[in-house]
C-alpha cells in the first residue's frame, strides 16, 4: 500500500515556489518539436543521472578546503568561459587599442571597473535564473513588465547583428595585414575582393559548423565550451607575450602602468597629460580650445566604447540560457559566481590590459608614423592626388579639414595633433612592435593570431545568442532548424569588410557606443527581478544582504544609465546631433513603453 502523498503547498506560498517549479520541470518532458512550458529550458539539459552525478560531485567539492573547491569549480565551469569568449572580441580589442592611443596608461582602470560592475549584474542574472529555473524572458514578462522583456530580447537580437560587422572586418584585417599578407593582402596574389570573399566564406563555414554543434544536445554544448576555452587561452597568451617582450626590452614605465589602475574620472573633462602637453604648445587660445575639445570628445567616445564592450546586452541574454542548458540549478549558484569571476574576468582583464599597455607604449601622444608633418612633407602631401592618398593620409587630412582653416596655413604644432589623432589599426600596433621582437614576422603572427581568435570566437557566440533569441520569440527549443536558421542572422556581418574601409578595428567603436545605449534595459530589468518575492520566494535576499545587493546593482544600473545617456546625447544621425532634445525624447519613449507594458501585464493578470 503506497504512502499518502504530502499535502500540497499553499497556493501563494513563495517559499515553496522554487521547489514546485523544480518538481514540475523534472516531471515535464523536454518537448523538442512543440512549444515550451514556462519552466522548460531552450537547450535540452543533461539527463537525470548525469546532472545528479554533477550535483553529488558539487556537494563533495563544497566540503573541501578552499584550494580543493577552486580546483573542482574549474572542472565544472563553462558558461563564464562563453561570456569571456563573447566579450573578448573586436570591441574589446578596439576599446583597449584606442584607450591606449588617446589616454596612455591613464585609463587602464576603466575596463576592469566596467567588467566588475557587469559581473555583479551577471551574478544577479545567474542567481535569479538558478533560483527559479525559469527562462528570464518569460519571467520578466510575467513578473516585471512585458515592455522590458521585449526590449531586452529585441536589443539583444539587434546587438548580435550589429556587433558582427566589426568582427568580420577585424578577422579580414588580421589575415590580410598580419598573417597572410603575401597571399591575401594588398598587392598579393589575389585581388582584394577575391581575398575578402574567400576569408568571409571560410569564416562563415567554420562558424556555422561550430555554432550548430551547440544544438546537438549536451555533448555539443560541452564540445563547444571546450573549444572556446582553448581559444580564450590562446588569445590571452598572445597578448601576454607582447607585454612580456616589451618589458624585457625596457619599453615600459611600470610606475605609470600601475598608476593607471587607480580610477580617475578626469578624462571625461580634460585631455590626457601627454595630449595636454601638445595642446599647451599651441600659440593661440582658439586652437587650444578647438583641439582640447576634439581630444576630450574622442576620449569620451573611447571610454563609452570600452565600457560597453566589457559587458554587452547580448551577454546578459547568453548567460542564463547557457546555465539552463547545462542543467544547472540552485546548487550551482556558488559555482556560477566563481565561473564568472574566473572564466570571464581574469581572461578579459589580462587581455585588455595587455592591449592598452602595448598601445600606450607605442602610440600615445605620437603622430602617425607614416604621415609627413614637416613643412616639406606636408606641402608634398597637399599636392598629392586624392586617389593616391593612403588610408592614414586621408584620415590625417580629414582631421586637418575639420579644423576649419586653410590646409596650407595649419601650423606644424597643429599638424602633430591632427596626426596623433589618426586612428590606428591592429596592423599598425603589430608593425610598431616588430623591432621589439627582433624583427621578422613574429610580432605580426602573435598579434594576428590573437586578433583572429578574438574575432572568430565572438562571431560564433553572436550566432549562438541569435539562435537563442529567435527560438525564445517562437517559444520553441534551441534545436533543429529553428535554432540553426536563427543563428545565421549575424552572418550579415560578413558584409562588413566590403562596405567599411579605413581602420577596420575602429568600426567596433561606434558599434559599441550603439550597444551601450541598450545596456540599461537589461540592468534595470534584473535589478527589478531581484526584488520580486513572488518570483524568488525564499531565495530573495533579505535584511542587510538585500540592502547590499541593491546598493551594488543600483550603482551598476545608474552607471549604465549615465553612460548610455551621455552616448545618446553625443550621437549623430543623418548629420544631426541628438543633444538634450534627443535624449529627452528617448527617455519619454522609454517611459511610455513601460506604461503600456504595465497596462498589458495587469490585463493579462486579470484575465488569468
Amino acid at each position: 500500500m503506497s504512502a499518502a502523498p504530502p499535502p500540497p503547498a499553499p497556493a501563494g506560498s513563495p517559499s515553496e515556489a522554487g521547489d514546485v517549479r523544480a518538481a514540475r520541470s523534472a516531471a515535464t518532458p523536454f518537448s523538442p518539436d512543440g512549444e515550451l512550458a514556462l519552466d522548460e529550458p531552450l537547450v535540452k539539459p543533461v539527463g537525470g543521472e548525469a546532472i545528479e552525478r554533477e550535483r553529488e560531485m558539487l556537494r563533495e567539492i563544497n566540503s573541501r578546503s578552499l584550494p580543493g573547491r577552486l580546483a573542482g569549480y574549474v572542472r565544472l565551469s563553462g558558461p563564464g568561459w562563453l561570456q569571456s569568449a563573447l566579450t573578448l572580441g573586436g570591441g574589446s580589442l578596439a576599446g583597449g587599442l584606442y584607450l591606449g592611443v588617446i589616454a596612455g596608461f591613464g585609463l587602464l582602470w576603466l575596463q576592469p571597473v566596467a567588467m566588475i560592475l557587469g559581473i555583479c549584474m551577471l551574478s544577479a542574472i545567474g542567481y535569479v535564473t538558478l533560483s527559479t529555473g525559469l527562462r528570464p524572458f518569460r519571467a520578466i514578462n510575467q513578473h516585471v513588465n512585458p515592455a522590458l522583456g521585449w526590449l531586452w530580447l529585441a536589443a539583444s537580437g539587434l546587438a548580435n547583428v550589429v556587433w558582427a560587422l566589426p568582427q568580420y572586418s577585424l578577422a579580414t584585417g588580421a589575415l590580410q595585414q598580419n598573417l597572410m599578407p603575401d597571399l591575401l593582402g594588398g598587392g598579393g596574389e589575389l585581388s582584394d575582393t577575391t581575398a575578402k570573399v574567400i576569408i568571409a566564406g571560410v569564416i562563415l563555414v567554420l562558424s556555422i559548423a561550430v555554432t550548430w554543434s551547440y544544438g546537438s544536445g549536451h555533448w555539443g554544448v560541452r564540445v563547444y565550451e571546450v573549444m572556446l576555452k582553448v581559444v580564450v587561452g590562446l588569445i590571452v597568451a598572445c597578448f601576454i607575450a607582447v607585454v612580456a617582450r616589451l618589458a624585457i626590452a625596457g619599453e615600459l614605465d611600470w610606475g605609470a602602468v600601475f598608476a593607471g589602475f587607480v580610477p580617475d574620472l578626469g578624462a571625461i573633462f580634460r585631455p590626457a597629460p601627454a595630449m595636454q602637453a601638445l595642446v599647451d604648445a599651441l600659440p593661440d587660445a582658439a586652437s587650444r580650445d578647438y583641439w582640447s575639445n576634439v581630444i576630450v570628445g574622442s576620449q569620451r567616445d573611447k571610454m563609452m566604447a570600452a565600457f560597453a564592450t566589457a559587458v554587452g546586452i547580448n551577454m546578459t541574454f547568453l548567460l542564463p540560457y547557457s546555465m539552463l542548458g547545462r542543467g544547472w540549478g540552485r546548487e550551482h549558484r556558488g559555482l556560477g559566481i566563481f565561473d564568472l569571476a574566473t572564466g570571464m574576468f581574469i581572461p578579459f582583464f589580462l587581455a585588455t590590459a595587455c592591449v592598452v599597455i602595448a598601445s600606450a607604449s607605442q602610440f600615445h601622444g605620437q603622430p602617425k608614423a607614416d604621415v609627413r608633418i614637416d613643412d616639406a612633407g606636408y606641402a608634398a602631401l597637399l599636392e598629392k592626388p586624392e586617389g593616391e592618398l593612403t588610408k592614414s593620409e586621408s584620415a590625417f587630412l580629414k582631421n586637418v579639414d575639420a579644423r576649419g582653416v586653410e590646409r596650407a596655413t595649419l601650423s606644424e604644432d597643429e599638424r602633430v595633433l591632427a596626426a596623433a589623432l589618426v586612428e590606428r589599426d591592429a596592423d599598425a600596433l603589430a608593425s610598431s612592435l616588430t623591432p621589439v621582437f627582433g624583427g621578422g614576422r613574429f610580432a605580426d603572427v602573435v598579434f594576428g593570431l590573437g586578433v583572429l581568435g578574438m574575432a572568430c570566437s565572438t562571431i560564433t557566440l553572436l550566432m549562438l545568442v541569435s539562435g537563442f533569441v529567435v527560438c525564445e520569440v517562437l517559444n520553441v527549443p534551441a534545436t533543429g532548424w529553428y535554432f540553426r536558421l536563427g543563428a545565421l542572422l549575424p552572418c550579415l556581418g560578413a558584409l562588413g569588410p566590403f562596405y567599411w574601409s579605413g581602420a577596420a578595428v575602429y568600426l567596433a567603436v561606434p558599434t559599441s557606443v550603439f550597444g551601450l545605449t541598450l545596456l540599461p534595459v537589461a540592468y534595470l530589468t534584473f535589478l527589478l527581478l531581484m526584488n520580486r518575492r513572488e518570483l524568488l520566494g525564499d531565495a530573495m535576499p533579505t535584511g542587510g544582504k538585500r540592502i547590499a545587493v541593491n546598493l551594488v546593482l543600483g550603482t551598476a544600473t545608474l552607471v549604465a544609465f549615465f553612460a548610455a545617456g551621455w552616448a545618446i546625447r553625443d550621437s549623430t544621425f543623418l548629420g544631426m546631433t541628438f543633444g538634450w532634445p534627443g535624449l529627452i525624447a528617448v527617455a519619454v519613449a522609454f517611459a511610455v513603453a513601460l506604461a503600456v507594458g504595465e497596462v498589458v501585464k495587469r490585463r493579462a493578470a486579470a484575465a488569468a
Side-chain angles (χ1 to χ4, degrees):
M1 184 169 162
S2 61
S13 174
S15 64
E16 301 296 327
D19 294 335
V20 170
R21 277 189 289 269
R24 184 180 344 119
S25 180
T28 304
F30 181 78
S31 46
D33 299 317
E35 289 195 356
L36 295 173
L38 176 65
D39 48 11
E40 283 187 281
L42 283 182
V43 182
K44 183 177 181 179
V46 297
E49 293 184 4
I51 191 62
E52 283 305 320
R53 285 197 301 270
E54 184 170 289
R55 287 172 179 165
E56 186 174 340
M57 183 187 302
L58 192 57
R59 284 191 289 269
E60 188 273 327
I61 288 172
N62 288 333
S63 66
R64 300 177 186 173
S65 62
L66 180 60
R69 285 203 306 274
L70 297 182
Y73 282 163
V74 168
R75 179 181 175 185
L76 295 176
S77 64
W81 289 89
L82 297 186
Q83 301 293 319
S84 184
L86 181 55
T87 194
L88 282 177
S92 298
L93 175 66
L97 176 61
Y98 294 119
L99 282 180
V101 172
I102 197 69
F105 303 125
L107 289 177
L108 272 168
W109 60 270
L110 179 65
Q111 288 174 302
V113 168
M115 176 58 74
I116 289 171
L117 291 175
I119 285 178
C120 290
M121 187 57 68
L122 288 172
S123 297
I125 295 171
Y127 182 86
V128 170
T129 302
L130 297 180
S131 296
T132 64
L134 300 180
R135 305 198 322 271
F137 173 66
R138 308 291 166 179
I140 294 166
N141 289 353
Q142 181 176 332
H143 295 281
V144 182
N145 189 301
L148 281 176
W150 281 102
L151 281 172
W152 176 59
L153 183 141
S156 299
L158 183 60
N160 293 324
V161 177
V162 173
W163 262 318
L165 292 168
Q167 311 307 327
Y168 280 92
S169 296
L170 194 65
T172 300
L175 286 165
Q176 288 188 313
Q177 300 163 357
N178 302 110
L179 297 176
M180 306 177 72
D182 295 335
L183 176 63
L184 303 174
E189 298 179 21
L190 301 175
S191 68
D192 184 63
T193 301
T194 301
K196 288 179 177 178
V197 169
I198 292 174
I199 293 170
V202 171
I203 293 175
L204 272 176
V205 171
L206 293 178
S207 299
I208 290 171
V210 170
T211 305
W212 282 6
S213 73
Y214 195 93
S216 302
H218 184 62
W219 71 269
V221 173
R222 298 309 293 263
V223 168
Y224 186 83
E225 290 177 353
V226 168
M227 286 190 294
L228 287 181
K229 282 184 181 181
V230 172
V231 171
V232 169
L234 291 175
I235 292 170
V236 173
C238 286
F239 290 112
I240 288 178
V242 170
V243 172
R245 292 300 295 265
L246 283 171
I248 293 171
E251 297 277 333
L252 297 179
D253 178 357
W254 285 107
V257 170
F258 289 122
F261 288 106
V262 179
D264 178 13
L265 297 178
I268 299 177
F269 309 104
R270 63 177 183 269
M275 301 299 286
Q276 184 65 59
L278 297 178
V279 171
D280 292 339
L282 298 176
D284 61 279
S287 59
R288 288 195 295 270
D289 288 344
Y290 171 80
W291 288 108
S292 180
N293 290 334
V294 169
I295 293 168
V296 169
S298 180
Q299 286 178 177
R300 289 173 182 168
D301 281 347
K302 307 304 187 296
M303 291 176 71
M304 299 306 170
F307 185 90
T309 55
V311 175
I313 190 168
N314 48 1
M315 294 172 65
T316 68
F317 199 94
L318 171 64
L319 178 69
Y321 290 93
S322 60
M323 284 180 163
L324 292 175
R326 286 288 297 268
W328 285 13
R330 286 191 170 204
E331 303 88 350
H332 295 79
R333 289 183 301 197
L335 171 61
I337 295 173
F338 170 86
D339 195 30
L340 288 171
T342 55
M344 183 177 176
F345 179 78
I346 293 176
F348 176 87
F349 172 75
L350 291 174
T352 56
C354 289
V355 172
V356 174
I357 291 170
S359 172
S361 68
Q362 300 300 304
F363 296 139
H364 180 52
Q366 302 296 320
K368 190 74 162 64
D370 54 351
V371 174
R372 295 285 302 277
I373 56 176
D374 59 283
D375 290 340
Y378 183 62
L381 177 61
L382 296 183
E383 298 296 327
K384 200 171 182 180
E386 185 174 349
E388 297 179 9
L389 295 174
T390 65
K391 291 188 296 185
S392 298
E393 290 169 343
S394 296
F396 168 68
L397 291 178
K398 183 178 179 181
N399 289 341
V400 170
D401 292 338
R403 176 68 177 88
V405 298
E406 290 291 330
R407 288 180 173 181
T409 63
L410 197 69
S411 68
E412 185 169 349
D413 288 333
E414 291 195 73
R415 288 179 229 149
V416 170
L417 278 164
L421 291 172
V422 172
E423 305 296 354
R424 270 68 164 189
D425 219 331
D427 67 309
L429 183 52
S431 298
S432 71
L433 292 168
T434 298
V436 179
F437 282 87
R441 283 184 40 79
F442 186 71
D444 271 330
V445 171
V446 170
F447 253 81
L449 289 175
V451 171
L452 185 63
M454 277 185 160
C456 291
S457 64
T458 300
I459 288 170
T460 64
L461 264 300
L462 293 173
M463 295 174 69
L464 177 66
V465 178
S466 184
F468 284 169
V469 168
V470 170
C471 290
E472 185 62 282
V473 169
L474 300 175
N475 197 29
V476 296
T479 56
W481 286 105
Y482 287 118
F483 170 77
R484 293 169 186 167
L485 294 177
L488 295 180
L489 289 177
C491 294
L492 294 171
L495 299 175
F498 299 96
Y499 289 94
W500 281 271
S501 57
V505 178
Y506 186 68
L507 178 60
V509 174
T511 300
S512 300
V513 172
F514 166 79
L516 176 60
T517 64
L518 307 175
L519 191 60
V521 174
Y523 279 27
L524 175 63
T525 298
F526 285 95
L527 173 62
L528 295 175
L529 275 180
M530 281 293 291
N531 290 276
R532 287 294 190 270
R533 182 170 293 279
E534 69 273 16
L535 174 66
L536 289 174
D538 61 354
M540 193 185 85
T542 58
K545 184 177 180 181
R546 184 180 183 186
I547 293 174
V549 167
N550 280 309
L551 183 62
V552 172
L553 299 185
T555 300
T557 303
L558 288 175
V559 171
F561 268 101
F562 172 79
W566 202 303
I568 293 171
R569 193 197 66 169
D570 291 346
S571 295
T572 58
F573 182 71
L574 298 178
M576 297 182 294
T577 302
F578 272 61
W580 287 108
L583 178 59
I584 293 171
V586 171
V588 169
F590 184 60
V592 170
L594 292 183
V596 172
E598 184 63 25
V599 170
V600 172
K601 174 189 168 186
R602 292 186 179 184
R603 287 183 177 178

